[in-house]
Short mmCIF file of all heavy atoms in Angstrom, two decimals:
data_model
loop_
_atom_site.label_atom_id
_atom_site.label_comp_id
_atom_site.label_asym_id
_atom_site.label_seq_id
_atom_site.Cartn_x
_atom_site.Cartn_y
_atom_site.Cartn_z
N CYS A 95 4.32 -5.06 23.76
CA CYS A 95 3.24 -5.91 23.48
C CYS A 95 1.97 -5.11 23.37
O CYS A 95 1.14 -5.27 22.47
CB CYS A 95 3.10 -6.93 24.65
SG CYS A 95 1.73 -8.00 24.55
N MET A 96 1.79 -4.12 24.28
CA MET A 96 0.60 -3.24 24.30
C MET A 96 0.44 -2.45 23.06
O MET A 96 -0.66 -2.25 22.51
CB MET A 96 0.66 -2.36 25.53
CG MET A 96 -0.62 -1.79 26.02
SD MET A 96 -1.84 -3.04 26.34
CE MET A 96 -3.29 -2.17 26.17
N ILE A 99 -0.83 -4.67 20.36
CA ILE A 99 -2.20 -4.96 20.59
C ILE A 99 -3.10 -3.64 20.23
O ILE A 99 -4.15 -3.87 19.62
CB ILE A 99 -2.42 -5.19 22.08
CG1 ILE A 99 -1.64 -6.57 22.52
CG2 ILE A 99 -3.95 -5.35 22.56
CD1 ILE A 99 -2.48 -7.75 22.21
N VAL A 113 -10.16 -1.07 23.32
CA VAL A 113 -8.88 -1.78 23.16
C VAL A 113 -8.37 -2.13 24.50
O VAL A 113 -7.91 -3.23 24.74
CB VAL A 113 -7.94 -0.92 22.29
CG1 VAL A 113 -6.50 -1.54 22.32
CG2 VAL A 113 -8.26 -0.74 20.87
N ALA A 114 -8.45 -1.08 25.38
CA ALA A 114 -7.91 -1.22 26.72
C ALA A 114 -8.63 -2.40 27.43
O ALA A 114 -7.96 -3.23 28.12
CB ALA A 114 -8.00 0.03 27.48
N LYS A 115 -9.88 -2.43 27.28
CA LYS A 115 -10.73 -3.44 28.01
C LYS A 115 -10.45 -4.78 27.46
O LYS A 115 -10.14 -5.74 28.14
CB LYS A 115 -12.27 -3.09 27.79
CG LYS A 115 -13.13 -3.54 28.83
CD LYS A 115 -14.53 -2.89 28.62
CE LYS A 115 -15.58 -3.88 29.14
NZ LYS A 115 -16.87 -3.50 28.77
N ALA A 116 -10.41 -4.96 26.12
CA ALA A 116 -10.12 -6.21 25.51
C ALA A 116 -8.70 -6.69 25.73
O ALA A 116 -8.43 -7.80 26.00
CB ALA A 116 -10.40 -6.06 23.90
N ALA A 117 -7.83 -5.70 25.76
CA ALA A 117 -6.38 -6.11 26.00
C ALA A 117 -6.21 -6.63 27.40
O ALA A 117 -5.57 -7.69 27.60
CB ALA A 117 -5.46 -4.84 25.85
N GLU A 118 -6.96 -6.10 28.34
CA GLU A 118 -6.82 -6.52 29.76
C GLU A 118 -7.45 -7.98 29.78
O GLU A 118 -6.75 -8.89 30.36
CB GLU A 118 -7.57 -5.55 30.71
CG GLU A 118 -7.38 -5.97 32.12
CD GLU A 118 -8.11 -5.05 33.05
OE1 GLU A 118 -8.60 -3.95 32.60
OE2 GLU A 118 -8.16 -5.36 34.27
N LYS A 119 -8.52 -8.11 29.10
CA LYS A 119 -9.13 -9.50 29.17
C LYS A 119 -8.22 -10.60 28.58
O LYS A 119 -7.95 -11.60 29.19
CB LYS A 119 -10.42 -9.47 28.34
CG LYS A 119 -11.15 -10.77 28.10
CD LYS A 119 -12.30 -10.70 27.20
CE LYS A 119 -12.76 -12.14 26.72
NZ LYS A 119 -13.75 -12.12 25.78
N TRP A 120 -7.68 -10.33 27.38
CA TRP A 120 -6.91 -11.33 26.70
C TRP A 120 -5.47 -11.49 27.25
O TRP A 120 -4.94 -12.64 27.31
CB TRP A 120 -6.88 -11.15 25.13
CG TRP A 120 -8.31 -11.41 24.61
CD1 TRP A 120 -9.12 -10.54 23.94
CD2 TRP A 120 -8.95 -12.64 24.60
NE1 TRP A 120 -10.22 -11.14 23.65
CE2 TRP A 120 -10.18 -12.42 23.95
CE3 TRP A 120 -8.62 -13.97 24.99
CZ2 TRP A 120 -11.09 -13.48 23.74
CZ3 TRP A 120 -9.58 -15.07 24.80
CH2 TRP A 120 -10.68 -14.75 24.14
N LEU A 121 -4.93 -10.38 27.64
CA LEU A 121 -3.55 -10.52 28.10
C LEU A 121 -3.46 -11.17 29.54
O LEU A 121 -2.56 -11.86 29.87
CB LEU A 121 -2.84 -9.10 28.24
CG LEU A 121 -2.55 -8.48 26.84
CD1 LEU A 121 -1.97 -7.06 27.04
CD2 LEU A 121 -1.56 -9.29 26.07
N LEU A 122 -4.58 -10.85 30.29
CA LEU A 122 -4.67 -11.65 31.58
C LEU A 122 -4.88 -13.12 31.29
O LEU A 122 -4.22 -14.02 31.95
CB LEU A 122 -5.80 -11.10 32.42
CG LEU A 122 -5.51 -9.80 33.22
CD1 LEU A 122 -6.88 -9.27 33.79
CD2 LEU A 122 -4.54 -10.04 34.35
N ARG A 123 -5.70 -13.37 30.30
CA ARG A 123 -6.07 -14.79 30.03
C ARG A 123 -4.83 -15.53 29.55
O ARG A 123 -4.62 -16.72 29.79
CB ARG A 123 -7.14 -14.81 28.93
CG ARG A 123 -7.59 -16.14 28.53
CD ARG A 123 -8.40 -16.82 29.57
NE ARG A 123 -8.29 -18.28 29.38
CZ ARG A 123 -9.05 -19.09 28.73
NH1 ARG A 123 -10.16 -18.46 28.13
NH2 ARG A 123 -9.00 -20.31 28.61
N LEU A 124 -3.92 -14.81 28.87
CA LEU A 124 -2.82 -15.48 28.21
C LEU A 124 -1.49 -15.21 29.05
O LEU A 124 -0.37 -15.45 28.55
CB LEU A 124 -2.61 -15.02 26.77
CG LEU A 124 -3.66 -15.50 25.81
CD1 LEU A 124 -3.84 -14.60 24.66
CD2 LEU A 124 -3.43 -16.92 25.34
N ASP A 125 -1.73 -14.76 30.23
CA ASP A 125 -0.54 -14.54 31.18
C ASP A 125 0.48 -13.54 30.68
O ASP A 125 1.66 -13.79 30.87
CB ASP A 125 0.14 -15.95 31.59
CG ASP A 125 -0.75 -16.87 32.20
OD1 ASP A 125 -1.66 -16.36 32.94
OD2 ASP A 125 -0.66 -18.11 32.05
N LEU A 126 -0.02 -12.48 30.05
CA LEU A 126 0.96 -11.55 29.45
C LEU A 126 0.69 -10.12 30.07
O LEU A 126 1.38 -9.13 29.72
CB LEU A 126 0.84 -11.45 27.91
CG LEU A 126 1.41 -12.63 27.14
CD1 LEU A 126 0.96 -12.56 25.67
CD2 LEU A 126 2.90 -12.75 27.31
N TRP A 127 -0.19 -9.99 30.94
CA TRP A 127 -0.62 -8.70 31.50
C TRP A 127 0.62 -8.01 32.13
O TRP A 127 0.83 -6.81 31.94
CB TRP A 127 -1.71 -8.91 32.49
CG TRP A 127 -2.24 -7.54 33.03
CD1 TRP A 127 -2.14 -7.10 34.32
CD2 TRP A 127 -2.87 -6.48 32.28
NE1 TRP A 127 -2.70 -5.87 34.39
CE2 TRP A 127 -3.16 -5.46 33.20
CE3 TRP A 127 -3.23 -6.30 30.99
CZ2 TRP A 127 -3.78 -4.25 32.77
CZ3 TRP A 127 -3.85 -5.11 30.58
CH2 TRP A 127 -4.15 -4.11 31.44
N GLU A 128 1.33 -8.71 32.89
CA GLU A 128 2.53 -8.08 33.55
C GLU A 128 3.59 -7.63 32.64
O GLU A 128 4.40 -6.86 32.89
CB GLU A 128 3.17 -9.12 34.66
CG GLU A 128 2.21 -9.68 35.68
CD GLU A 128 1.75 -8.51 36.61
OE1 GLU A 128 2.51 -7.60 36.96
OE2 GLU A 128 0.48 -8.56 36.92
N SER A 129 3.72 -8.32 31.48
CA SER A 129 4.76 -7.98 30.48
C SER A 129 4.21 -7.07 29.32
O SER A 129 4.96 -6.93 28.40
CB SER A 129 5.21 -9.37 29.86
OG SER A 129 5.44 -10.33 30.79
N ARG A 130 3.00 -6.46 29.52
CA ARG A 130 2.47 -5.74 28.46
C ARG A 130 3.29 -4.50 28.03
O ARG A 130 3.26 -4.16 26.85
CB ARG A 130 1.08 -5.27 28.78
CG ARG A 130 0.94 -4.24 29.94
CD ARG A 130 -0.55 -4.02 30.28
NE ARG A 130 -0.63 -3.07 31.33
CZ ARG A 130 -0.46 -3.18 32.61
NH1 ARG A 130 0.08 -4.41 33.01
NH2 ARG A 130 -0.56 -2.26 33.44
N ARG A 144 1.92 -16.32 22.29
CA ARG A 144 0.69 -15.91 23.01
C ARG A 144 0.31 -14.46 22.82
O ARG A 144 -0.86 -14.14 22.65
CB ARG A 144 0.99 -16.17 24.59
CG ARG A 144 0.85 -17.61 24.96
CD ARG A 144 0.97 -17.77 26.45
NE ARG A 144 2.43 -17.78 26.75
CZ ARG A 144 2.92 -17.26 27.89
NH1 ARG A 144 2.17 -16.65 28.76
NH2 ARG A 144 4.22 -17.36 28.15
N ALA A 145 1.35 -13.62 22.58
CA ALA A 145 0.98 -12.18 22.21
C ALA A 145 0.35 -12.15 20.88
O ALA A 145 -0.63 -11.42 20.68
CB ALA A 145 2.34 -11.40 22.19
N PHE A 147 -1.48 -14.56 19.72
CA PHE A 147 -2.84 -15.04 19.95
C PHE A 147 -3.73 -13.96 20.38
O PHE A 147 -4.92 -13.76 20.01
CB PHE A 147 -2.86 -16.23 20.91
CG PHE A 147 -3.77 -17.34 20.60
CD1 PHE A 147 -3.27 -18.53 20.55
CD2 PHE A 147 -5.07 -17.12 20.32
CE1 PHE A 147 -4.11 -19.71 20.18
CE2 PHE A 147 -5.91 -18.17 20.03
CZ PHE A 147 -5.45 -19.45 19.96
N ALA A 148 -3.18 -13.15 21.40
CA ALA A 148 -4.00 -11.94 21.89
C ALA A 148 -4.33 -11.00 20.77
O ALA A 148 -5.48 -10.53 20.69
CB ALA A 148 -3.08 -11.21 22.96
N MET A 149 -3.41 -10.79 19.87
CA MET A 149 -3.66 -9.83 18.68
C MET A 149 -4.80 -10.37 17.88
O MET A 149 -5.69 -9.71 17.33
CB MET A 149 -2.47 -9.74 17.75
CG MET A 149 -1.61 -8.61 18.12
SD MET A 149 -0.16 -8.47 17.06
CE MET A 149 -0.83 -7.94 15.54
N LEU A 151 -7.21 -12.34 18.80
CA LEU A 151 -8.52 -12.35 19.41
C LEU A 151 -9.11 -10.99 19.98
O LEU A 151 -10.24 -10.97 20.40
CB LEU A 151 -8.47 -13.30 20.71
CG LEU A 151 -8.11 -14.73 20.35
CD1 LEU A 151 -7.80 -15.56 21.56
CD2 LEU A 151 -9.25 -15.43 19.62
N ILE A 152 -8.30 -9.99 19.87
CA ILE A 152 -8.58 -8.66 20.47
C ILE A 152 -9.93 -8.12 20.04
O ILE A 152 -10.64 -7.44 20.66
CB ILE A 152 -7.40 -7.67 20.17
CG1 ILE A 152 -7.59 -6.47 21.14
CG2 ILE A 152 -7.36 -7.20 18.84
CD1 ILE A 152 -7.04 -6.70 22.47
N LYS A 174 -2.75 -24.82 27.87
CA LYS A 174 -3.68 -23.63 28.01
C LYS A 174 -4.27 -23.18 26.74
O LYS A 174 -5.39 -22.80 26.61
CB LYS A 174 -2.84 -22.42 28.53
CG LYS A 174 -2.57 -22.57 30.07
CD LYS A 174 -2.04 -21.33 30.56
CE LYS A 174 -2.00 -21.34 32.10
NZ LYS A 174 -1.43 -20.15 32.69
N LEU A 178 -8.10 -22.94 25.47
CA LEU A 178 -8.58 -21.73 24.92
C LEU A 178 -9.32 -22.02 23.61
O LEU A 178 -10.45 -21.48 23.35
CB LEU A 178 -7.52 -20.71 24.80
CG LEU A 178 -7.85 -19.38 24.07
CD1 LEU A 178 -8.92 -18.67 24.97
CD2 LEU A 178 -6.67 -18.49 23.98
#
Side-chain angles (χ1 to χ4, degrees):
Chain A
C95 179
M96 198 59 202
I99 294 279
V113 172
K115 208 170 149 189
E118 189 176 349
K119 174 187 168 185
W120 289 113
L121 292 178
L122 280 170
R123 177 73 207 267
L124 291 157
D125 298 328
L126 288 171
W127 182 247
E128 300 297 323
S129 314
R130 67 189 183 282
R144 280 183 280 140
F147 221 126
M149 267 180 74
L151 295 171
I152 195 82
K174 281 190 172 181
L178 178 60

